[in-house]
Amino acid sequence: MRDAFHDDLSSITDDLVEMTRMTGAAIERATRALLDADQHLAESVIAADDDLDEMRRAVDNLVVDLLARQQPVATDLRSVITAMQMASDIERMGDLARHIAKVARRRHPEHAIPDELREVITSMMEAAVHLAKSTGTAISTRDVNAAMTIEGADDAMDALHRRIFGHLLDDTWKHGTEAAVDITLVSRYYERFGDHAVSVANRIIYLVTGRY
Amino acid sequence: MRDAFHDDLSSITDDLVEMTRMTGAAIERATRALLDADQHLAESVIAADDDLDEMRRAVDNLVVDLLARQQPVATDLRSVITAMQMASDIERMGDLARHIAKVARRRHPEHAIPDELREVITSMMEAAVHLAKSTGTAISTRDVNAAMTIEGADDAMDALHRRIFGHLLDDTWKHGTEAAVDITLVSRYYERFGDHAVSVANRIIYLVTGRY
């Protein structure tokens, strides 16, 4: 039989998994808005980020409430604190999707992404969606092996980030400084999205194994 | 007479203030390394960031320990949780200083910053140092008015960030794409440094007033 503490923690965990689902959807839609110069889609991603912020505040409040009522110690206490820290990382992943949508909105009706970079940006989106999904799985299962795959998936994201820089610093770059600035920022946003997934994974690994 | 809880919280607060001092020093030294293309100084900023990471982990452990031993509720509980969240923001400010130092190191022996941008980058450093100091003051005093000045100081940082973009997007930009990419990232790092100071300020305001 489950006790009240584990029921509450399980409910917080469900919220975190839902937040990872929302960030995955957000970065996928933000990328579509960017690639298609779709202003309406960009606006909808920007607006939807409020829901993630709200959900993160709700998780913080649930955590404080749980701590006050149940006063957990040892691993239970660590689990609750870690949940709050993960909510912060996941909310930030949503912010990064919103930043990508804002670049699409700012450049509309122009396309921020030149044709020859569409493929690598699409790969970054796929990597980000995969990272968001893996993060949700690692949170719900607390499986250290699942968490450890996230670092490898983020290495793929970092390689894409370097590929973008390879294009930007190539002598044949012909899209001017404004495009270079936008793409630098966009690429950085995907890279940071991956970093936060790794941060969540490391928190799970530390929680389960006690090691960084 | 003070009780054990307030002694512990006061010790955590001292650590947070020390962390803001360290981030202020880090971003000042990182900027000097950037402006002077000083590789040794850049290396020393990068190495020193480990101390901040270590200190953040120590604060997290103190918080968990305090929660387990003292089981605070209500405002005391909120104060402890907020301290942990502030440690996360301040550690991130240190990461951003390290990122700036890494740009200096990567471009050495070249200068990453063209002459006409030295003044605005110097102003960004001054704004960042001021923000780090104000953040420390707001944490130690829990003075809502002090915390509220931080948002205004960050507006000045945002204006400098826009000035940088004005230079980059000016038709007369003649330093090429590599310099534009580096400066885009560097400017973004200062801007994010300010955002984290605002985040700390907002946490203090919420803690004291219960309002965002």
Side-chain angles (χ1 to χ4, degrees):
Chain A
M1 244 195 45
R2 293 166 65 86
D3 55 20
F5 171 81
H6 287 97
D7 281 344
D8 286 353
L9 184 60
S10 168
S11 155
I12 291 171
T13 300
D14 290 347
D15 284 349
L16 294 176
V17 172
E18 171 62 11
M19 287 176 72
T20 63
R21 197 199 56 72
M22 290 161 73
T23 56
I27 203 153
E28 180 163 11
R29 299 175 76 236
T31 309
R32 302 264 173 233
L34 190 69
L35 292 174
D36 302 341
D38 183 336
Q39 193 184 3
H40 289 294
L41 187 55
E43 294 285 0
S44 109
V45 174
I46 294 163
D49 190 52
D50 287 347
D51 296 338
L52 257 171
D53 294 349
E54 185 59 44
M55 205 145 170
R56 184 260 171 101
R57 271 194 292 273
V59 167
D60 280 2
N61 288 332
L62 283 170
V63 163
V64 169
D65 190 48
L66 189 159
L67 289 172
R69 278 188 299 106
Q70 316 243 16
Q71 313 210 319
V73 295
T75 305
D76 287 347
L77 174 56
R78 285 261 175 207
S79 296
V80 177
I81 294 293
T82 300
M84 197 179 59
Q85 293 170 326
M86 293 194 293
S88 166
D89 277 309
I90 303 165
E91 184 212 340
R92 186 71 200 140
M93 291 163 82
D95 289 343
L96 292 159
R98 189 190 61 203
H99 289 331
I100 291 169
K102 281 189 172 176
V103 173
R105 183 174 70 177
R106 179 157 44 77
R107 288 300 288 278
H108 179 85
E110 287 178 67
H111 282 67
I113 307 298
D115 282 347
E116 73 263 33
L117 288 182
R118 290 179 69 86
E119 188 201 323
V120 59
I121 292 289
T122 303
S123 298
M124 290 183 110
M125 173 193 77
E126 288 164 357
V129 169
H130 173 72
L131 281 163
K133 202 178 161 82
S134 305
T135 302
T137 304
I139 291 171
S140 63
T141 61
R142 282 204 190 180
D143 177 341
V144 171
N145 289 321
M148 282 169 66
T149 66
I150 289 173
E151 181 120 24
D154 184 52
D155 289 344
M157 179 70 97
D158 291 344
L160 293 165
H161 186 51
R162 284 192 298 274
R163 245 177 81 191
I164 292 270
F165 278 63
H167 280 280
L168 290 172
L169 304 182
D170 190 309
D171 285 342
T172 64
W173 179 258
K174 59 179 189 290
H175 305 286
T177 310
E178 185 173 6
V181 166
D182 280 340
I183 291 161
T184 299
L185 290 173
V186 162
S187 185
R188 170 91 183 145
Y189 299 147
Y190 287 104
E191 186 224 359
R192 289 292 302 154
F193 189 96
D195 288 346
H196 284 284
V198 170
S199 172
V200 170
N202 286 339
R203 293 186 197 287
I204 293 165
I205 293 167
Y206 181 67
L207 188 63
V208 177
T209 69
R211 277 193 296 247
Y212 287 106
Chain B
M1 244 196 48
R2 294 166 65 86
D3 55 21
F5 171 80
H6 287 96
D7 282 344
D8 285 354
L9 183 60
S10 169
S11 156
I12 291 171
T13 301
D14 289 348
D15 285 349
L16 293 176
V17 173
E18 171 62 11
M19 286 176 73
T20 62
R21 196 199 56 71
M22 289 160 75
T23 56
I27 203 154
E28 180 162 12
R29 298 174 76 236
T31 309
R32 302 266 174 231
L34 190 70
L35 292 173
D36 301 342
D38 183 335
Q39 192 184 3
H40 289 295
L41 187 54
E43 294 285 1
S44 109
V45 173
I46 293 163
D49 190 52
D50 287 347
D51 296 339
L52 256 170
D53 295 348
E54 184 60 43
M55 206 146 170
R56 184 262 171 100
R57 273 194 291 272
V59 167
D60 280 2
N61 288 332
L62 283 171
V63 162
V64 170
D65 190 48
L66 188 159
L67 290 172
R69 279 188 298 106
Q70 315 243 16
Q71 312 210 320
V73 294
T75 306
D76 287 347
L77 174 55
R78 285 260 175 207
S79 296
V80 176
I81 294 293
T82 301
M84 198 179 59
Q85 293 170 325
M86 293 195 292
S88 166
D89 277 310
I90 303 166
E91 185 211 340
R92 186 71 200 140
M93 291 163 82
D95 288 343
L96 292 159
R98 189 190 60 204
H99 289 332
I100 291 169
K102 281 189 172 176
V103 173
R105 182 173 70 177
R106 179 156 46 77
R107 288 300 289 276
H108 179 84
E110 286 179 67
H111 282 67
I113 307 298
D115 282 347
E116 73 263 33
L117 288 181
R118 292 179 67 86
E119 189 201 322
V120 59
I121 293 289
T122 303
S123 297
M124 290 183 110
M125 172 192 77
E126 288 163 358
V129 169
H130 173 72
L131 281 163
K133 203 178 160 82
S134 304
T135 302
T137 303
I139 291 170
S140 63
T141 61
R142 282 206 191 179
D143 177 342
V144 171
N145 288 321
M148 282 167 68
T149 66
I150 288 173
E151 181 120 25
D154 184 52
D155 289 344
M157 179 70 96
D158 291 343
L160 293 165
H161 186 50
R162 284 193 299 274
R163 246 177 79 192
I164 292 269
F165 279 62
H167 280 280
L168 290 171
L169 303 183
D170 190 310
D171 286 340
T172 64
W173 179 259
K174 58 179 190 289
H175 304 286
T177 310
E178 184 173 7
V181 166
D182 280 341
I183 290 161
T184 299
L185 291 173
V186 162
S187 185
R188 169 92 183 145
Y189 299 148
Y190 287 104
E191 188 225 357
R192 289 293 301 156
F193 189 97
D195 288 346
H196 284 284
V198 170
S199 171
V200 170
N202 287 340
R203 293 186 196 287
I204 294 166
I205 293 166
Y206 180 67
L207 188 63
V208 176
T209 68
R211 277 192 295 247
Y212 288 105

